[in-house]
PDB file of all heavy atoms in Angstrom:
ATOM      1  N   ALA A 241     -22.347  28.529  27.923  1.00 97.00           N
ATOM      2  CA  ALA A 241     -21.965  29.441  28.921  1.00 97.00           C
ATOM      3  C   ALA A 241     -20.420  29.047  29.471  1.00 97.00           C
ATOM      4  O   ALA A 241     -19.660  29.894  29.781  1.00 97.00           O
ATOM      5  CB  ALA A 241     -22.932  29.521  30.095  1.00 97.00           C
ATOM      6  N   ARG A 242     -20.304  27.773  29.628  1.00 97.00           N
ATOM      7  CA  ARG A 242     -19.037  27.316  30.257  1.00 97.00           C
ATOM      8  C   ARG A 242     -17.875  27.621  29.290  1.00 97.00           C
ATOM      9  O   ARG A 242     -16.800  28.110  29.657  1.00 97.00           O
ATOM     10  CB  ARG A 242     -19.105  25.788  30.463  1.00 97.00           C
ATOM     11  CG  ARG A 242     -17.721  25.277  30.972  1.00 97.00           C
ATOM     12  CD  ARG A 242     -17.375  25.624  32.312  1.00 97.00           C
ATOM     13  NE  ARG A 242     -15.950  25.262  32.762  1.00 97.00           N
ATOM     14  CZ  ARG A 242     -15.595  25.236  34.006  1.00 97.00           C
ATOM     15  NH1 ARG A 242     -16.397  25.520  35.012  1.00 97.00           N
ATOM     16  NH2 ARG A 242     -14.308  24.902  34.269  1.00 97.00           N
ATOM     17  N   ALA A 243     -18.137  27.302  28.043  1.00 98.00           N
ATOM     18  CA  ALA A 243     -17.083  27.790  26.904  1.00 98.00           C
ATOM     19  C   ALA A 243     -16.656  29.214  26.959  1.00 98.00           C
ATOM     20  O   ALA A 243     -15.511  29.637  26.870  1.00 98.00           O
ATOM     21  CB  ALA A 243     -17.538  27.179  25.611  1.00 98.00           C
ATOM     22  N   LEU A 244     -17.709  30.101  26.986  1.00 98.00           N
ATOM     23  CA  LEU A 244     -17.436  31.539  27.062  1.00 98.00           C
ATOM     24  C   LEU A 244     -16.700  31.988  28.370  1.00 98.00           C
ATOM     25  O   LEU A 244     -15.938  32.823  28.312  1.00 98.00           O
ATOM     26  CB  LEU A 244     -18.850  32.222  26.962  1.00 98.00           C
ATOM     27  CG  LEU A 244     -19.340  32.472  25.563  1.00 98.00           C
ATOM     28  CD1 LEU A 244     -20.662  33.258  25.679  1.00 98.00           C
ATOM     29  CD2 LEU A 244     -18.403  33.506  24.843  1.00 98.00           C
ATOM     30  N   ALA A 245     -17.092  31.269  29.458  1.00 98.00           N
ATOM     31  CA  ALA A 245     -16.421  31.516  30.689  1.00 98.00           C
ATOM     32  C   ALA A 245     -14.978  31.156  30.517  1.00 98.00           C
ATOM     33  O   ALA A 245     -14.021  31.860  30.991  1.00 98.00           O
ATOM     34  CB  ALA A 245     -16.980  30.804  31.834  1.00 98.00           C
ATOM     35  N   GLU A 246     -14.661  30.114  29.985  1.00 97.00           N
ATOM     36  CA  GLU A 246     -13.239  29.534  29.686  1.00 97.00           C
ATOM     37  C   GLU A 246     -12.493  30.574  28.876  1.00 97.00           C
ATOM     38  O   GLU A 246     -11.344  30.978  29.078  1.00 97.00           O
ATOM     39  CB  GLU A 246     -13.163  28.267  28.967  1.00 97.00           C
ATOM     40  CG  GLU A 246     -13.741  27.134  29.900  1.00 97.00           C
ATOM     41  CD  GLU A 246     -12.785  26.484  30.819  1.00 97.00           C
ATOM     42  OE1 GLU A 246     -11.569  26.766  30.517  1.00 97.00           O
ATOM     43  OE2 GLU A 246     -13.022  25.737  31.724  1.00 97.00           O
ATOM     44  N   ALA A 247     -13.234  31.167  27.800  1.00 98.00           N
ATOM     45  CA  ALA A 247     -12.630  32.119  27.014  1.00 98.00           C
ATOM     46  C   ALA A 247     -12.369  33.438  27.724  1.00 98.00           C
ATOM     47  O   ALA A 247     -11.218  34.067  27.550  1.00 98.00           O
ATOM     48  CB  ALA A 247     -13.407  32.525  25.808  1.00 98.00           C
ATOM     49  N   TYR A 248     -13.311  33.945  28.540  1.00 98.00           N
ATOM     50  CA  TYR A 248     -12.869  35.049  29.438  1.00 98.00           C
ATOM     51  C   TYR A 248     -11.839  34.800  30.423  1.00 98.00           C
ATOM     52  O   TYR A 248     -11.038  35.746  30.703  1.00 98.00           O
ATOM     53  CB  TYR A 248     -14.180  35.435  30.161  1.00 98.00           C
ATOM     54  CG  TYR A 248     -15.154  36.287  29.259  1.00 98.00           C
ATOM     55  CD1 TYR A 248     -16.414  35.878  28.965  1.00 98.00           C
ATOM     56  CD2 TYR A 248     -14.719  37.677  28.958  1.00 98.00           C
ATOM     57  CE1 TYR A 248     -17.176  36.742  28.118  1.00 98.00           C
ATOM     58  CE2 TYR A 248     -15.590  38.597  28.292  1.00 98.00           C
ATOM     59  CZ  TYR A 248     -16.772  38.074  27.886  1.00 98.00           C
ATOM     60  OH  TYR A 248     -17.691  38.834  27.005  1.00 98.00           O
ATOM     61  N   LEU A 249     -11.784  33.533  30.864  1.00 97.00           N
ATOM     62  CA  LEU A 249     -10.611  33.249  31.788  1.00 97.00           C
ATOM     63  C   LEU A 249      -9.367  33.273  30.988  1.00 97.00           C
ATOM     64  O   LEU A 249      -8.345  33.985  31.563  1.00 97.00           O
ATOM     65  CB  LEU A 249     -10.812  31.789  32.308  1.00 97.00           C
ATOM     66  CG  LEU A 249      -9.679  31.245  33.195  1.00 97.00           C
ATOM     67  CD1 LEU A 249      -9.236  32.200  34.450  1.00 97.00           C
ATOM     68  CD2 LEU A 249     -10.005  29.807  33.624  1.00 97.00           C
ATOM     69  N   ARG A 250      -9.342  32.722  29.848  1.00 97.00           N
ATOM     70  CA  ARG A 250      -8.061  32.773  28.999  1.00 97.00           C
ATOM     71  C   ARG A 250      -7.755  34.331  28.717  1.00 97.00           C
ATOM     72  O   ARG A 250      -6.489  34.662  28.876  1.00 97.00           O
ATOM     73  CB  ARG A 250      -8.284  32.088  27.785  1.00 97.00           C
ATOM     74  CG  ARG A 250      -7.216  32.282  26.655  1.00 97.00           C
ATOM     75  CD  ARG A 250      -5.978  31.534  26.979  1.00 97.00           C
ATOM     76  NE  ARG A 250      -6.015  30.135  26.593  1.00 97.00           N
ATOM     77  CZ  ARG A 250      -5.082  29.230  26.623  1.00 97.00           C
ATOM     78  NH1 ARG A 250      -3.912  29.694  27.134  1.00 97.00           N
ATOM     79  NH2 ARG A 250      -5.242  27.943  26.354  1.00 97.00           N
ATOM     80  N   ALA A 251      -8.691  35.144  28.445  1.00 97.00           N
ATOM     81  CA  ALA A 251      -8.391  36.587  28.230  1.00 97.00           C
ATOM     82  C   ALA A 251      -7.908  37.209  29.447  1.00 97.00           C
ATOM     83  O   ALA A 251      -6.950  38.049  29.281  1.00 97.00           O
ATOM     84  CB  ALA A 251      -9.699  37.240  27.632  1.00 97.00           C
ATOM     85  N   GLY A 252      -8.541  36.853  30.636  1.00 96.00           N
ATOM     86  CA  GLY A 252      -8.018  37.539  31.832  1.00 96.00           C
ATOM     87  C   GLY A 252      -6.580  37.143  32.035  1.00 96.00           C
ATOM     88  O   GLY A 252      -5.735  37.880  32.503  1.00 96.00           O
ATOM     89  N   MET A 253      -6.129  35.839  31.858  1.00 95.00           N
ATOM     90  CA  MET A 253      -4.790  35.364  32.098  1.00 95.00           C
ATOM     91  C   MET A 253      -4.023  36.090  31.050  1.00 95.00           C
ATOM     92  O   MET A 253      -2.764  36.426  31.520  1.00 95.00           O
ATOM     93  CB  MET A 253      -4.827  33.848  31.940  1.00 95.00           C
ATOM     94  CG  MET A 253      -5.574  33.091  33.023  1.00 95.00           C
ATOM     95  SD  MET A 253      -5.628  31.254  32.721  1.00 95.00           S
ATOM     96  CE  MET A 253      -3.967  30.797  32.899  1.00 95.00           C
ATOM     97  N   CYS A 254      -4.397  36.362  29.996  1.00 95.00           N
ATOM     98  CA  CYS A 254      -3.491  36.947  28.925  1.00 95.00           C
ATOM     99  C   CYS A 254      -3.226  38.355  29.321  1.00 95.00           C
ATOM    100  O   CYS A 254      -2.035  38.889  29.316  1.00 95.00           O
ATOM    101  CB  CYS A 254      -4.105  36.915  27.534  1.00 95.00           C
ATOM    102  SG  CYS A 254      -4.004  35.200  26.716  1.00 95.00           S
ATOM    103  N   PHE A 255      -4.231  39.147  29.798  1.00 95.00           N
ATOM    104  CA  PHE A 255      -4.127  40.550  30.139  1.00 95.00           C
ATOM    105  C   PHE A 255      -3.331  40.614  31.336  1.00 95.00           C
ATOM    106  O   PHE A 255      -2.489  41.629  31.634  1.00 95.00           O
ATOM    107  CB  PHE A 255      -5.417  41.161  30.215  1.00 95.00           C
ATOM    108  CG  PHE A 255      -6.010  41.810  28.841  1.00 95.00           C
ATOM    109  CD1 PHE A 255      -6.416  40.835  27.949  1.00 95.00           C
ATOM    110  CD2 PHE A 255      -5.857  43.075  28.571  1.00 95.00           C
ATOM    111  CE1 PHE A 255      -6.770  41.344  26.619  1.00 95.00           C
ATOM    112  CE2 PHE A 255      -6.140  43.627  27.355  1.00 95.00           C
ATOM    113  CZ  PHE A 255      -6.795  42.720  26.335  1.00 95.00           C
ATOM    114  N   TYR A 256      -3.411  39.681  32.247  1.00 92.00           N
ATOM    115  CA  TYR A 256      -2.678  39.618  33.579  1.00 92.00           C
ATOM    116  C   TYR A 256      -1.316  39.509  33.085  1.00 92.00           C
ATOM    117  O   TYR A 256      -0.284  40.095  33.710  1.00 92.00           O
ATOM    118  CB  TYR A 256      -3.121  38.508  34.307  1.00 92.00           C
ATOM    119  CG  TYR A 256      -2.101  37.996  35.301  1.00 92.00           C
ATOM    120  CD1 TYR A 256      -1.712  38.695  36.465  1.00 92.00           C
ATOM    121  CD2 TYR A 256      -1.336  36.830  35.213  1.00 92.00           C
ATOM    122  CE1 TYR A 256      -0.762  38.227  37.350  1.00 92.00           C
ATOM    123  CE2 TYR A 256      -0.319  36.393  35.981  1.00 92.00           C
ATOM    124  CZ  TYR A 256      -0.115  37.145  37.209  1.00 92.00           C
ATOM    125  OH  TYR A 256       0.871  36.629  37.945  1.00 92.00           O
ATOM    126  N   ALA A 257      -0.887  38.547  32.161  1.00 89.00           N
ATOM    127  CA  ALA A 257       0.413  38.353  31.800  1.00 89.00           C
ATOM    128  C   ALA A 257       1.160  39.657  31.092  1.00 89.00           C
ATOM    129  O   ALA A 257       2.340  39.694  31.240  1.00 89.00           O
ATOM    130  CB  ALA A 257       0.567  37.101  30.839  1.00 89.00           C
ATOM    131  N   ALA A 258       0.208  40.369  30.468  1.00 90.00           N
ATOM    132  CA  ALA A 258       0.658  41.605  29.832  1.00 90.00           C
ATOM    133  C   ALA A 258       0.656  42.761  30.787  1.00 90.00           C
ATOM    134  O   ALA A 258       0.889  43.901  30.461  1.00 90.00           O
ATOM    135  CB  ALA A 258      -0.257  42.007  28.698  1.00 90.00           C
ATOM    136  N   SER A 259       0.350  42.448  32.181  1.00 88.00           N
ATOM    137  CA  SER A 259       0.423  43.537  33.177  1.00 88.00           C
ATOM    138  C   SER A 259      -0.699  44.584  33.080  1.00 88.00           C
ATOM    139  O   SER A 259      -0.509  45.669  33.673  1.00 88.00           O
ATOM    140  CB  SER A 259       1.829  44.250  33.243  1.00 88.00           C
ATOM    141  OG  SER A 259       2.837  43.402  33.480  1.00 88.00           O
ATOM    142  N   ASP A 260      -1.696  44.237  32.314  1.00 92.00           N
ATOM    143  CA  ASP A 260      -2.947  44.997  32.307  1.00 92.00           C
ATOM    144  C   ASP A 260      -3.921  44.490  33.279  1.00 92.00           C
ATOM    145  O   ASP A 260      -4.888  43.863  32.916  1.00 92.00           O
ATOM    146  CB  ASP A 260      -3.524  45.112  30.884  1.00 92.00           C
ATOM    147  CG  ASP A 260      -4.680  45.937  30.629  1.00 92.00           C
ATOM    148  OD1 ASP A 260      -5.256  46.512  31.674  1.00 92.00           O
ATOM    149  OD2 ASP A 260      -4.896  46.358  29.470  1.00 92.00           O
ATOM    150  N   LEU A 261      -3.805  44.961  34.550  1.00 91.00           N
ATOM    151  CA  LEU A 261      -4.507  44.377  35.551  1.00 91.00           C
ATOM    152  C   LEU A 261      -5.965  44.838  35.519  1.00 91.00           C
ATOM    153  O   LEU A 261      -6.936  43.928  35.823  1.00 91.00           O
ATOM    154  CB  LEU A 261      -3.873  44.718  36.908  1.00 91.00           C
ATOM    155  CG  LEU A 261      -2.479  44.126  37.080  1.00 91.00           C
ATOM    156  CD1 LEU A 261      -2.082  44.312  38.534  1.00 91.00           C
ATOM    157  CD2 LEU A 261      -2.392  42.667  36.808  1.00 91.00           C
ATOM    158  N   PRO A 262      -6.286  46.076  35.284  1.00 92.00           N
ATOM    159  CA  PRO A 262      -7.740  46.497  35.291  1.00 92.00           C
ATOM    160  C   PRO A 262      -8.564  45.636  34.323  1.00 92.00           C
ATOM    161  O   PRO A 262      -9.674  45.167  34.553  1.00 92.00           O
ATOM    162  CB  PRO A 262      -7.718  48.015  34.957  1.00 92.00           C
ATOM    163  CG  PRO A 262      -6.314  48.453  35.289  1.00 92.00           C
ATOM    164  CD  PRO A 262      -5.404  47.268  35.100  1.00 92.00           C
ATOM    165  N   GLN A 263      -8.057  45.503  33.014  1.00 95.00           N
ATOM    166  CA  GLN A 263      -8.734  44.767  32.177  1.00 95.00           C
ATOM    167  C   GLN A 263      -8.769  43.238  32.401  1.00 95.00           C
ATOM    168  O   GLN A 263      -9.751  42.509  32.174  1.00 95.00           O
ATOM    169  CB  GLN A 263      -8.115  44.835  30.742  1.00 95.00           C
ATOM    170  CG  GLN A 263      -9.087  44.315  29.530  1.00 95.00           C
ATOM    171  CD  GLN A 263     -10.346  44.964  29.476  1.00 95.00           C
ATOM    172  OE1 GLN A 263     -10.492  46.086  29.387  1.00 95.00           O
ATOM    173  NE2 GLN A 263     -11.455  44.086  29.507  1.00 95.00           N
ATOM    174  N   ALA A 264      -7.741  42.750  32.994  1.00 95.00           N
ATOM    175  CA  ALA A 264      -7.719  41.277  33.544  1.00 95.00           C
ATOM    176  C   ALA A 264      -8.770  41.113  34.567  1.00 95.00           C
ATOM    177  O   ALA A 264      -9.497  40.077  34.417  1.00 95.00           O
ATOM    178  CB  ALA A 264      -6.379  40.939  34.082  1.00 95.00           C
ATOM    179  N   ARG A 265      -9.109  42.083  35.416  1.00 94.00           N
ATOM    180  CA  ARG A 265      -9.986  41.859  36.505  1.00 94.00           C
ATOM    181  C   ARG A 265     -11.479  41.889  35.780  1.00 94.00           C
ATOM    182  O   ARG A 265     -12.378  41.095  36.138  1.00 94.00           O
ATOM    183  CB  ARG A 265      -9.950  42.988  37.435  1.00 94.00           C
ATOM    184  CG  ARG A 265      -8.674  42.927  38.255  1.00 94.00           C
ATOM    185  CD  ARG A 265      -8.666  44.060  39.327  1.00 94.00           C
ATOM    186  NE  ARG A 265      -7.313  44.170  40.015  1.00 94.00           N
ATOM    187  CZ  ARG A 265      -6.582  45.142  39.738  1.00 94.00           C
ATOM    188  NH1 ARG A 265      -7.065  46.202  39.136  1.00 94.00           N
ATOM    189  NH2 ARG A 265      -5.348  45.294  40.394  1.00 94.00           N
ATOM    190  N   ILE A 266     -11.574  42.679  34.766  1.00 96.00           N
ATOM    191  CA  ILE A 266     -12.994  42.774  34.124  1.00 96.00           C
ATOM    192  C   ILE A 266     -13.206  41.386  33.528  1.00 96.00           C
ATOM    193  O   ILE A 266     -14.324  40.870  33.551  1.00 96.00           O
ATOM    194  CB  ILE A 266     -12.965  43.812  33.020  1.00 96.00           C
ATOM    195  CG1 ILE A 266     -12.923  45.264  33.713  1.00 96.00           C
ATOM    196  CG2 ILE A 266     -14.205  43.746  32.151  1.00 96.00           C
ATOM    197  CD1 ILE A 266     -12.727  46.329  32.797  1.00 96.00           C
ATOM    198  N   TYR A 267     -12.245  40.879  32.819  1.00 97.00           N
ATOM    199  CA  TYR A 267     -12.460  39.540  32.081  1.00 97.00           C
ATOM    200  C   TYR A 267     -12.652  38.420  33.077  1.00 97.00           C
ATOM    201  O   TYR A 267     -13.522  37.583  33.003  1.00 97.00           O
ATOM    202  CB  TYR A 267     -11.365  39.199  31.181  1.00 97.00           C
ATOM    203  CG  TYR A 267     -11.209  40.069  30.019  1.00 97.00           C
ATOM    204  CD1 TYR A 267      -9.973  40.412  29.400  1.00 97.00           C
ATOM    205  CD2 TYR A 267     -12.401  40.429  29.210  1.00 97.00           C
ATOM    206  CE1 TYR A 267      -9.946  41.167  28.116  1.00 97.00           C
ATOM    207  CE2 TYR A 267     -12.336  41.176  28.178  1.00 97.00           C
ATOM    208  CZ  TYR A 267     -11.169  41.392  27.559  1.00 97.00           C
ATOM    209  OH  TYR A 267     -10.974  42.331  26.376  1.00 97.00           O
ATOM    210  N   LEU A 268     -12.062  38.523  34.180  1.00 96.00           N
ATOM    211  CA  LEU A 268     -12.147  37.406  35.287  1.00 96.00           C
ATOM    212  C   LEU A 268     -13.478  37.465  35.901  1.00 96.00           C
ATOM    213  O   LEU A 268     -14.143  36.413  36.303  1.00 96.00           O
ATOM    214  CB  LEU A 268     -11.062  37.620  36.297  1.00 96.00           C
ATOM    215  CG  LEU A 268      -9.640  37.219  35.928  1.00 96.00           C
ATOM    216  CD1 LEU A 268      -8.706  37.473  36.811  1.00 96.00           C
ATOM    217  CD2 LEU A 268      -9.514  35.679  35.384  1.00 96.00           C
ATOM    218  N   LYS A 269     -14.037  38.747  36.089  1.00 96.00           N
ATOM    219  CA  LYS A 269     -15.471  38.828  36.650  1.00 96.00           C
ATOM    220  C   LYS A 269     -16.444  38.187  35.677  1.00 96.00           C
ATOM    221  O   LYS A 269     -17.440  37.610  36.079  1.00 96.00           O
ATOM    222  CB  LYS A 269     -15.646  40.397  36.899  1.00 96.00           C
ATOM    223  CG  LYS A 269     -14.933  40.829  38.214  1.00 96.00           C
ATOM    224  CD  LYS A 269     -15.267  42.257  38.402  1.00 96.00           C
ATOM    225  CE  LYS A 269     -14.418  42.789  39.677  1.00 96.00           C
ATOM    226  NZ  LYS A 269     -14.724  44.213  39.775  1.00 96.00           N
ATOM    227  N   GLN A 270     -16.199  38.436  34.417  1.00 98.00           N
ATOM    228  CA  GLN A 270     -17.029  38.021  33.349  1.00 98.00           C
ATOM    229  C   GLN A 270     -17.139  36.457  33.416  1.00 98.00           C
ATOM    230  O   GLN A 270     -18.182  35.803  33.203  1.00 98.00           O
ATOM    231  CB  GLN A 270     -16.806  38.513  31.965  1.00 98.00           C
ATOM    232  CG  GLN A 270     -17.075  39.966  31.762  1.00 98.00           C
ATOM    233  CD  GLN A 270     -18.613  40.031  31.288  1.00 98.00           C
ATOM    234  OE1 GLN A 270     -19.478  39.772  32.095  1.00 98.00           O
ATOM    235  NE2 GLN A 270     -18.875  40.539  30.207  1.00 98.00           N
ATOM    236  N   ALA A 271     -15.901  35.912  33.491  1.00 98.00           N
ATOM    237  CA  ALA A 271     -15.762  34.365  33.453  1.00 98.00           C
ATOM    238  C   ALA A 271     -16.476  33.934  34.719  1.00 98.00           C
ATOM    239  O   ALA A 271     -17.336  32.780  34.571  1.00 98.00           O
ATOM    240  CB  ALA A 271     -14.365  34.112  33.556  1.00 98.00           C
TER     241      ALA A 271
END
Side-chain angles (χ1 to χ4, degrees):
R242 177 70 189 197
L244 274 175
E246 295 271 348
Y248 275 109
L249 173 58
R250 170 75 79 177
M253 293 172 69
C254 288
F255 275 75
Y256 157 77
S259 300
D260 187 341
L261 301 189
Q263 189 60 52
R265 295 184 192 114
I266 290 171
Y267 286 145
L268 292 172
K269 287 178 182 177
Q270 286 279 64

